[in-house]
Amino acid sequence: MVKKMKNKNTSLSTVIFLVAFFSASIYIVATTPPPYSKGLFWEISKDGEMLGHIYGTIHMNDERVTRVPKKVMDIFYKSKGYSIEAFPSSHLWNPYHGFENIKKRMMFKKKTLADVAGKETADQVYALLTKNGVNEKYAKHIKPWAAMFSIAAKSKHSGPIVDHKLLDLASIQNKEIYQIESPEELLAAFYAMPMESQVSLLKDKINAFPHINDTLESMVSAYLEEDLVKLTEISTSFIDKSSDKKAHYDAYMKHSIYIRNVVMAHYMNLPFLYGLDMFKGQGGTFVSVGAMHLLGKKGVLYLLENQYGFTVKRVHIKD
């Protein structure tokens, strides 16, 4: 359900966006570039009427990423609405889905990670998470899919990610505010992922962890180049893509990308159409979404254009 909230002081939490960040990826095997392979900023219109814009983000607080280009910010300031993937998991933004509740949903109630992934893998996860300040109970009872997304390098930067930065600004400016994916829908996408695939992917992530800083640096470079193909290839480099693990890779794609894209496109449709009536000629709705959700025939841009009848046009950030 799309929600509208205004005038809130945001207590930011990045758990949901860590999930979105590490899950938003596609492995490209075709030699022909897929649709929407270049570009971060897109204009959305219908029947010649501009309804808003979509800005592809990367959920990091690196200053190279959080310095939003002037052309993008100028359009953001003029927009009457703002849509974000999911509201931060704080009590103020999600009073029924606050951080503690979401964290509980990422843990087994009775089992431990060792029960499903084995003691060696569980011990490795425990060491990595507790080193980053995660409490012991969470580190022992975390579900494999949540562990995979929680294993991350500590940021060298300060401040919020772009999506949250824009959310604070939108609230201050009294914009109409929406979310295009609820915490329930985000979590549900992972609940159904086969346990065998969760464990296999978690082991891949542990094996790749020593190189995570190099991977993140490469992702930032690809993002700044607006190369969505390169960005998504790098983001999935941790996955073992050998033929005998294809089922796990397919499960990853289904539950972390494709299902979520359908949900997001559906909820984007609503504020854009709402903007057609309420914001006509007034700047429309500004949507921020992980850049890798834009790519290809299963991406949100393709769905908006081919299932909902919108016209999608790239806006070049650099003149």
Side-chain angles (χ1 to χ4, degrees):
M1 178 178 181
V2 177
K3 297 183 180 180
K4 166 186 166 184
M5 300 189 72
K6 291 174 154 185
N7 298 321
K8 296 289 185 183
N9 293 320
T10 309
S11 172
L12 297 177
S13 165
T14 60
V15 168
I16 286 296
F17 279 89
L18 277 175
V19 172
F21 165 58
F22 284 110
S23 67
S25 51
I26 293 177
Y27 177 60
I28 308 303
V29 295
T31 56
T32 302
Y36 316 105
S37 59
K38 291 275 190 178
L40 298 177
F41 200 36
W42 301 81
E43 180 185 280
I44 308 299
S45 62
K46 197 164 194 175
D47 299 327
E49 185 72 37
M50 193 279 290
L51 303 179
H53 294 79
I54 296 177
Y55 182 51
T57 64
I58 187 169
H59 307 311
M60 301 167 64
N61 65 349
D62 188 312
E63 283 85 354
R64 292 170 294 175
V65 170
T66 58
R67 287 194 296 267
V68 181
K70 183 179 183 300
K71 180 179 286 188
V72 177
M73 288 307 301
D74 286 345
I75 291 176
F76 171 81
Y77 286 130
K78 293 176 183 176
S79 299
K80 298 300 181 181
Y82 176 64
S83 296
I84 191 171
E85 277 187 38
F87 292 138
S89 53
S90 67
H91 180 75
L92 288 175
W93 284 104
N94 282 302
Y96 303 107
H97 305 92
F99 174 72
E100 287 303 319
N101 185 36
I102 288 175
K103 189 168 72 172
K104 290 177 182 177
R105 304 288 293 277
M106 298 167 75
M107 299 167 59
F108 290 116
K109 291 182 178 180
K110 297 180 179 179
K111 293 186 290 189
T112 66
L113 179 60
D115 292 332
V116 297
K119 185 178 185 303
E120 181 181 358
T121 297
D123 287 347
Q124 291 174 306
V125 170
Y126 181 87
L128 289 169
L129 295 188
T130 54
K131 184 178 180 180
N132 278 352
V134 173
N135 70 62
E136 294 184 3
K137 181 178 179 181
Y138 181 72
K140 289 181 179 179
H141 292 268
I142 189 170
K143 296 177 181 178
W145 69 263
M148 174 176 56
F149 299 129
S150 297
I151 294 174
K154 280 192 173 181
S155 176
K156 301 175 183 178
H157 307 274
S158 60
I161 61 175
V162 170
D163 310 71
H164 291 168
K165 175 182 176 181
L166 295 177
L167 179 62
D168 282 343
L169 288 173
S171 180
I172 292 170
Q173 295 169 8
N174 291 319
K175 296 185 187 297
E176 300 286 338
I177 300 177
Y178 312 88
Q179 62 180 2
I180 55 174
E181 181 184 44
S182 72
E184 292 291 343
E185 288 158 331
L186 174 64
L187 293 171
F190 296 104
Y191 290 161
M193 184 184 290
M195 187 59 65
E196 184 181 0
S197 294
Q198 291 186 42
V199 172
S200 179
L201 292 165
L202 173 58
K203 291 179 178 179
D204 288 345
K205 187 64 177 293
I206 292 171
N207 291 335
F209 182 73
H211 309 290
I212 192 170
N213 285 319
D214 291 337
T215 300
L216 294 174
E217 183 65 25
S218 297
M219 289 181 69
V220 170
S221 297
Y223 177 78
L224 295 176
E225 294 170 8
E226 301 189 54
D227 189 334
L228 303 184
V229 173
K230 185 188 294 186
L231 176 62
T232 52
E233 286 176 339
I234 295 167
S235 74
T236 55
S237 61
F238 78 93
I239 299 177
D240 182 346
K241 301 181 178 73
S242 57
S243 58
D244 60 328
K245 291 197 173 185
K246 185 178 184 302
H248 304 318
Y249 174 75
D250 290 344
Y252 178 88
M253 296 306 304
K254 176 181 178 181
H255 295 279
S256 64
I257 300 296
Y258 301 144
I259 292 174
R260 296 178 62 214
N261 283 349
V262 172
V263 172
M264 289 179 182
H266 168 72
Y267 284 129
M268 285 182 194
N269 175 51
L270 301 180
F272 282 137
L273 290 181
Y274 179 63
L276 180 62
D277 296 326
M278 301 297 294
F279 307 144
K280 190 171 183 178
Q282 300 182 52
T285 296
F286 187 104
V287 176
S288 68
V289 64
M292 291 174 285
H293 286 287
L294 306 177
L295 177 65
K297 289 188 175 182
K298 294 185 178 181
V300 295
L301 296 176
Y302 186 91
L303 293 173
L304 287 172
E305 196 157 36
N306 290 274
Q307 290 193 9
Y308 294 99
F310 293 103
T311 298
V312 176
K313 177 184 177 183
R314 181 183 176 185
V315 178
H316 289 271
I317 296 174
K318 300 174 184 177
D319 295 322

